[in-house]
Amino acid sequence: LPVIPTLSPGASSFPHHRATLRLSEKFILLLILSAFITLCFGAFFFLPDNSKHKPVFQRSCFVYKEESLRDKIRADHERALQEAKEKLRKSKEELKAEIQTEKTKVVEDLKKKDGPKPLPPVPMPKLVGVSDGDPGDSDTKEKRDKIREMMKHAWDSYRQYGWGHNELKPIAKKGHSTNIFGNSQMGATIVDALDTLYIMGLHDEFKDGQEWIEQNLDFSVNAEVSVFEVNIRFIGGLLAAYYLSGQEVFKVKAVQLAEKLLPAFNTPTGIPWAMVNLKSGVGRNWGWASAGSSILAEFGTLHMEFVHLTYLTGNPAYYQKVMHIRKLLAKMDRPNGLYPNYLNPRTGRWGQHHTSVGGLGDSFYEYLLKAWLMSDKTDTEARKTYDDAIEAIERHLIRKSNGGLTFIGEWKNGHLERKMGHLTCFAGGMFALGADGSPDDKAGHYLQLGAEIAHTCHESYDRTVLKLGPEAFKFDSGLEAVAVRQNEKYYILRPEVIETYWYMWRFTHDPKYRQWGWEAVQAIDKYCRVSGGFSGVKDVYSSNPTYDDVQQSFFLAETLKYLYLLFSSDELLPLENWVFNTEAHPLPVLHLGNITLPGSETQR
């Protein structure tokens, strides 16, 4: 990677100007001025006003001939003394408030005068295939147009009923939010959907989103947010929108937000807190996570975005933070070579020994592979870490059911639970994506493994009434790829199965992946579409399901994007040039040679 202009970590957002004197300095100057006036003109105030004294004072400090001037000087003197007395009478709190007011005024004046501090110019990575992707044949194009129409319906409904809110309640036709965004309304759906709108050619809608971001997206809010979710949805979404459109506002906003996340890393180990208050910088972890632990999939899913932040700003802090996490993990013992899902940020010790390629673990492994790909395959340390992790997963977690279905279970305290989550279905695409470059000529093996996972996940869809997959499904007691618990039968517009279909299509062009994708399109349009958008359903095994009344932002960011790409040509966002973050936001490969980014010497 080439030499990149660096900024010192923690550099001020504004140039340093001494635009005003501090109050204490003003007070001292007032006292000096008062003494000077008294020295020069004291006698003038106390001697009789007689013409015979005039020659004396003509040789004094200054010559004053008018009596009115004497009165003015006396008034100025008294006013200066009075101002000094008033300052002394004020409480400490009042003085602090005045100082803060003056500081704020200076900052605002500098903003008006200089505007935001410009980011250093860096070469734009080579951008290939950012639009079009016409599939060629009319049948595929017709299907792609249908997916585009679904995106427009989802966006228009949000635009009408939930604009500016994080998400939409399509039945109630009003805004919706969850605790991952705190109590703030940050327009999560707008930021998450931008790149999908762009690649679909919905430019009027993209422009509306850009205008909202320019005018309303403010991160100086008193809100406690998920570091992981805000990183993958907001920073990832803004960076992708910047690279696709070239609009500077997206880069500026991404950097502003990233600066707000950095305090989350202020822990004894450098492993970040799960949540951070955007205003105060105070961080904490989820109450339900193992003894106050941080979560592997959360602190392990920052690398892609933070590397791009260092590239775009020249500030090594972002790169240093994520490399410190990697190096810390490399030193730790791993039970059976597996990474537990929980790590305590205070002690640096693992929490309970629960390992999953689904929720809590999934994107950690994904980002190891994608760090290597995004570095133009120069980050060999990331590739080696990925290969070692996958080898342990194959040995301990991947099994074949009695019915011949390959699945990925979960390791809990020395026991394999024969259950697979919808979230785990992304792994089929990951295995295919990582096949090229596998050790020991195992590329064919991993492509086959990806195909087997795709087949299993398709079966989880096909064995339901709605032809939509449940949240989790088991492989025991004669039941395979079927949800058992009622609270695992829901579908919330998730993308992971379709994500794997798309990767498998790109690497094999087997027509069954487009067929399976079209089945999902038809099922979503039939059972999840309502007049106010798209909603999740609570039971995929019921012919008359109830809605959960949430249009998730990731439905627009991921599900519809992967479907659109599945029915587009490979020239749209080719994988040689783009790497998708875990929220399906495409970031360009940094073809920068084998030079380390600034900040390779990790700091905490």
Side-chain angles (χ1 to χ4, degrees):
L1 304 167
V3 177
I4 297 166
T6 59
L7 296 176
S8 59
S12 170
S13 299
F14 301 99
H16 183 72
H17 289 284
R18 191 63 175 269
T20 187
L21 294 169
R22 294 179 180 173
L23 289 176
S24 57
E25 293 170 333
K26 283 184 175 179
F27 182 57
I28 292 167
L29 286 175
L30 282 170
L31 290 177
I32 294 170
L33 178 62
S34 300
F36 181 76
I37 291 170
T38 302
L39 178 66
C40 291
F41 304 111
F44 181 64
F45 295 142
F46 298 109
L47 287 174
D49 184 21
N50 193 308
S51 59
K52 69 181 180 180
H53 298 295
K54 285 182 181 178
V56 175
F57 294 107
Q58 284 170 352
R59 293 189 301 270
S60 187
C61 300
F62 298 100
V63 178
Y64 291 96
K65 294 182 180 180
E66 299 294 335
E67 188 172 353
S68 60
L69 286 177
R70 185 183 66 230
D71 295 336
K72 182 177 184 302
I73 292 168
R74 182 185 289 115
D76 288 343
H77 178 74
E78 290 173 352
R79 188 162 54 250
L81 288 173
Q82 185 62 31
E83 184 179 342
K85 287 176 184 176
E86 286 175 3
K87 297 287 184 196
L88 290 172
R89 279 199 297 266
K90 288 187 177 180
S91 69
K92 187 177 179 181
E93 287 70 25
E94 288 175 315
L95 287 170
K96 279 184 177 178
E98 279 192 19
I99 291 168
Q100 188 57 47
T101 301
E102 291 198 19
K103 282 182 178 178
T104 303
K105 186 175 182 299
V106 171
V107 169
E108 293 302 319
D109 289 344
L110 287 172
K111 278 185 180 178
K112 290 173 186 173
K113 181 181 177 182
D114 301 327
K117 184 179 179 182
L119 293 167
V122 293
M124 183 69 96
K126 184 181 179 184
L127 303 180
V128 178
V130 298
S131 61
D132 194 25
D134 190 322
D137 68 285
S138 59
D139 179 59
T140 307
K141 190 172 188 305
E142 189 177 320
K143 289 173 178 172
R144 191 174 83 142
D145 288 343
K146 171 61 183 174
I147 296 158
R148 188 174 184 267
E149 182 277 327
M150 291 167 67
M151 177 67 182
K152 186 154 171 45
H153 176 61
W155 174 266
D156 288 347
S157 298
Y158 169 78
R159 180 77 174 82
Q160 183 173 356
Y161 304 118
W163 193 239
H165 288 263
N166 289 316
E167 292 173 320
L168 170 69
K169 294 177 79 67
I171 309 290
K173 295 183 177 177
K174 63 180 184 181
H176 170 73
S177 192
T178 64
N179 65 338
I180 61 173
F181 305 116
N183 55 4
S184 63
Q185 296 306 328
M186 294 165 55
T189 294
I190 297 173
V191 180
D192 235 359
L194 280 172
D195 52 8
T196 308
L197 293 170
Y198 192 90
I199 68 169
M200 288 186 178
L202 295 169
H203 295 302
D204 290 341
E205 291 80 0
F206 180 89
K207 186 179 178 186
D208 284 345
Q210 179 178 338
E211 286 177 0
W212 186 90
I213 286 168
E214 287 173 337
Q215 297 166 16
N216 300 287
L217 188 55
D218 178 20
F219 302 121
S220 58
V221 291
N222 185 20
E224 190 178 54
V225 301
S226 162
V227 174
F228 162 73
E229 295 286 358
V230 166
N231 176 61
I232 66 172
R233 299 191 198 210
F234 282 82
I235 293 181
L238 290 165
L239 290 176
Y242 165 67
Y243 283 120
L244 290 169
S245 71
Q247 296 296 311
E248 197 79 6
V249 63
F250 300 127
K251 177 172 71 171
V252 170
K253 292 286 185 182
V255 173
Q256 287 174 356
L257 176 55
E259 289 172 350
K260 298 281 190 178
L261 297 186
L262 285 177
F265 292 82
N266 295 335
T267 67
T269 59
I271 297 293
W273 299 114
M275 292 175 287
V276 69
N277 186 295
L278 292 178
K279 189 160 193 169
S280 69
V282 175
R284 70 180 179 96
N285 274 343
W286 302 110
W288 51 263
S290 175
S293 291
S294 297
I295 295 165
L296 183 68
E298 295 195 341
F299 66 77
T301 308
L302 302 165
H303 192 97
M304 289 180 64
E305 298 81 3
F306 275 44
V307 166
H308 272 276
L309 286 166
T310 284
Y311 173 71
L312 291 172
T313 65
N315 183 349
Y318 305 107
Y319 181 75
Q320 289 170 345
K321 300 295 185 190
V322 292
M323 289 306 293
H324 175 78
I325 293 170
R326 184 192 290 180
K327 292 185 186 308
L328 187 147
L329 291 177
K331 295 174 186 174
M332 296 183 66
D333 290 329
R334 294 182 293 281
N336 296 314
L338 298 170
Y339 288 85
N341 290 340
Y342 301 106
L343 180 62
N344 191 303
R346 291 187 179 91
T347 65
R349 295 192 180 97
W350 296 118
Q352 64 190 72
H353 288 182
H354 173 199
T355 296
S356 170
V357 185
L360 308 181
D362 48 10
S363 47
F364 165 73
Y365 307 100
E366 174 189 356
Y367 269 41
L368 290 175
L369 172 63
K370 290 180 174 179
W372 175 68
L373 292 169
M374 202 179 73
S375 72
D376 198 17
K377 302 182 179 179
T378 60
D379 186 353
T380 53
E381 180 183 68
R383 176 76 214 206
K384 176 72 165 58
T385 309
Y386 168 79
D387 290 333
D388 291 346
I390 297 308
E391 182 184 340
I393 285 167
E394 267 205 277
R395 188 181 310 118
H396 297 289
L397 305 186
I398 297 180
R399 297 289 183 270
K400 190 158 282 195
S401 73
N402 293 334
L405 296 177
T406 301
F407 68 94
I408 308 173
E410 300 195 359
W411 190 265
K412 292 189 176 179
N413 298 315
H415 171 72
L416 181 68
E417 187 176 13
R418 296 169 67 86
K419 181 172 80 170
M420 186 168 173
H422 193 291
L423 290 166
T424 318
C425 285
F426 93 97
M430 178 179 73
F431 293 141
L433 183 63
D436 185 29
S438 296
D440 306 322
D441 297 322
K442 293 177 77 173
H445 166 74
Y446 283 112
L447 195 60
Q448 177 61 29
L449 181 58
E452 290 175 14
I453 297 298
H455 173 66
T456 298
C457 293
H458 176 256
E459 286 298 307
S460 78
Y461 274 52
D462 203 45
R463 297 179 186 191
T464 71
V465 172
L466 304 186
K467 304 303 178 187
L468 293 169
E471 182 69 3
F473 40 95
K474 289 207 166 187
F475 295 88
D476 55 17
S477 305
L479 291 173
E480 296 192 353
V482 174
V484 176
R485 296 180 177 178
Q486 189 60 40
N487 64 357
E488 293 175 342
K489 295 181 178 180
Y490 60 85
Y491 173 70
I492 56 171
L493 307 171
R494 285 205 188 276
E496 291 79 19
V497 174
I498 293 159
E499 175 183 353
T500 279
Y501 293 167
W502 174 61
Y503 279 112
M504 293 308 303
W505 165 257
R506 278 282 175 104
F507 289 111
T508 70
H509 285 174
D510 187 327
K512 73 182 177 188
Y513 296 115
R514 278 185 169 170
Q515 177 193 330
W516 292 352
W518 186 243
E519 289 171 7
V521 170
Q522 292 176 303
I524 292 169
D525 202 50
K526 182 175 181 179
Y527 295 111
C528 300
R529 185 175 185 138
V530 294
S531 63
F534 289 87
S535 170
V537 291
K538 294 182 178 179
D539 187 348
V540 293
Y541 301 97
S542 168
S543 56
N544 189 25
T546 53
Y547 297 110
D548 67 8
D549 197 19
V550 180
Q551 180 176 282
Q552 306 276 352
S553 80
F554 57 67
F555 178 65
L556 293 82
E558 300 185 73
T559 311
L560 291 173
K561 183 188 285 120
Y562 284 131
L563 284 168
Y564 188 80
L565 290 169
L566 179 59
F567 291 94
S568 297
S569 72
D570 294 359
E571 282 70 44
L572 181 57
L573 299 176
L575 292 172
E576 297 77 24
N577 302 93
W578 297 90
V579 184
F580 288 72
N581 89 336
T582 198
E583 190 79 2
H585 295 307
L587 299 176
V589 170
L590 294 174
H591 297 281
L592 301 173
N594 201 18
I595 301 170
T596 307
L597 281 166
S600 59
E601 293 301 319
T602 58
Q603 296 177 357
R604 199 175 73 217

